[in-house]
Amino acid sequence: MIRDITIGQYYQTDSLLHRLDPRTKLMGTLVFIVSLFIAGNWLCYALAAVWLAGMIRLSRVPVSFIVRGLKAVMILLLISVGFNLFLTNGETVLVHFWIFRITLEGLRQAFFMALRLIFLIMGSSLMTLTTTPNQLTDGLETGLGFLKKVRVPIHEIAMMMSIALRFIPILIEETDKIMKAQMARGADFESGNLIQRAKALVPILVPLFISAFRRATDLAMAMEARCYHGGEERTRMKPLVYASRDRLTYLAFFVYLGAMIALNWIF
């Protein structure tokens, strides 16, 4: 399951989504997330599914690679679906046992919640798979540059997000090494119930936290040794410039959002 986490990883290939400006992809991801919370019927989710499938095809990232990232959040997904399934009140009761009731409204809400979480994770993963951490940092800093006028430290915020995304695959690799070392010493992470498996993770968490703090300290010392002082008067090797494909992509994003609002309002 450790290797199934795809958020924060970059998939190297040549596609239209890889060539887009990072600001365009950030705005597109935001529009897609907003559309998922606007969606309130089957047609809206069908449109979101078609849109996401189109973006995946344009990215040239294997579908199996993106779907693999859902395994790491399957427990969270099941918990969210369970809460909506059993705790949503409704008039049409389908199943009633002990203190639990499954209603038609709850079943509908649970299904939509599952779709929303799945699309949300896949859409967010698609952005990080097609955008390098440096591009994300530049896109956030440039796209939110207007907030500097109200003294919001945009460069520092973008840098922290970039470092956090960069550390995800590093910590995954470190966790895999620690697990293999513990298994070589006789540790068992597969057998037993949920509580026993959780206890078995303690020998992994301690060295992982120590390694994470050590890496963070080394990074801070390296930045201080290079006299890093934030985003004032800093230049970029590759300045961000919108191309015609970015403008067309913006138009497609807002047409999609308008269609989502129309479908939700009409039906």
Side-chain angles (χ1 to χ4, degrees), residues 14-214:
D14 184 23
S15 70
L16 177 61
L17 259 64
H18 284 75
R19 293 192 297 269
L20 287 177
D21 191 284
R23 294 169 292 179
T24 305
K25 287 181 275 191
L26 287 168
M27 178 59 70
T29 304
L30 179 61
V31 168
F32 184 68
I33 293 173
V34 170
S35 70
L36 292 178
F37 286 94
I38 291 176
N41 55 56
W42 299 95
L43 291 176
C44 292
Y45 282 99
L47 177 60
V50 172
W51 177 267
L52 182 60
M55 292 298 103
I56 293 175
R57 183 170 181 82
L58 289 176
S59 69
R60 295 184 180 179
V61 178
V63 179
S64 58
F65 188 82
I66 299 177
V67 174
R68 193 176 68 186
L70 297 175
K71 296 180 182 179
V73 294
M74 189 58 65
I75 296 178
L76 177 62
L77 181 63
L78 292 176
I79 292 174
S80 301
V81 170
F83 273 112
N84 284 274
L85 184 63
F86 294 109
L87 300 180
T88 301
N89 295 322
E91 298 179 356
T92 308
V93 179
L94 300 178
V95 179
H96 187 197
F97 61 96
W98 195 31
I99 60 174
F100 299 104
R101 291 193 310 168
I102 299 178
T103 63
L104 182 61
E105 292 78 6
L107 184 62
R108 179 177 180 273
Q109 183 71 19
F111 184 74
F112 283 168
M113 179 59 68
L115 285 179
R116 183 179 298 168
L117 289 175
I118 291 172
F119 290 169
L120 181 64
I121 294 169
M122 293 178 67
S124 302
S125 300
L126 192 62
M127 182 190 67
T128 58
L129 287 171
T130 58
T131 313
T132 63
N134 290 336
Q135 290 174 341
L136 280 176
T137 303
D138 294 341
L140 282 171
E141 185 178 359
T142 306
L144 302 177
F146 64 93
L147 294 178
K148 293 180 180 179
K149 297 181 180 179
V150 292
R151 298 184 180 276
V152 177
I154 295 300
H155 176 80
E156 286 75 9
I157 294 174
M159 179 62 68
M160 286 189 295
M161 294 183 64
S162 174
I163 292 174
L165 288 173
R166 191 185 295 270
F167 263 59
I168 291 175
I170 294 175
L171 292 178
I172 291 173
E173 183 179 357
E174 190 73 21
T175 304
D176 190 49
K177 290 181 180 178
I178 296 173
M179 289 183 67
K180 288 181 178 178
Q182 296 288 353
M183 292 171 66
R185 292 170 174 83
D188 186 9
F189 301 105
E190 300 296 332
S191 62
N193 55 32
L194 185 61
I195 297 177
Q196 292 174 340
R197 291 185 182 182
K199 290 182 179 180
L201 292 177
V202 175
I204 298 176
L205 295 178
V206 175
L208 180 63
F209 273 106
I210 294 174
S211 175
F213 283 120
R214 185 183 296 116

Side-chain angles (χ1 to χ4, degrees), residues 244-255:
S244 58
R245 58 175 175 266
D246 296 297
R247 300 183 181 91
L248 292 175
T249 305
Y250 270 114
L251 179 61
F253 285 150
F254 289 110
V255 168

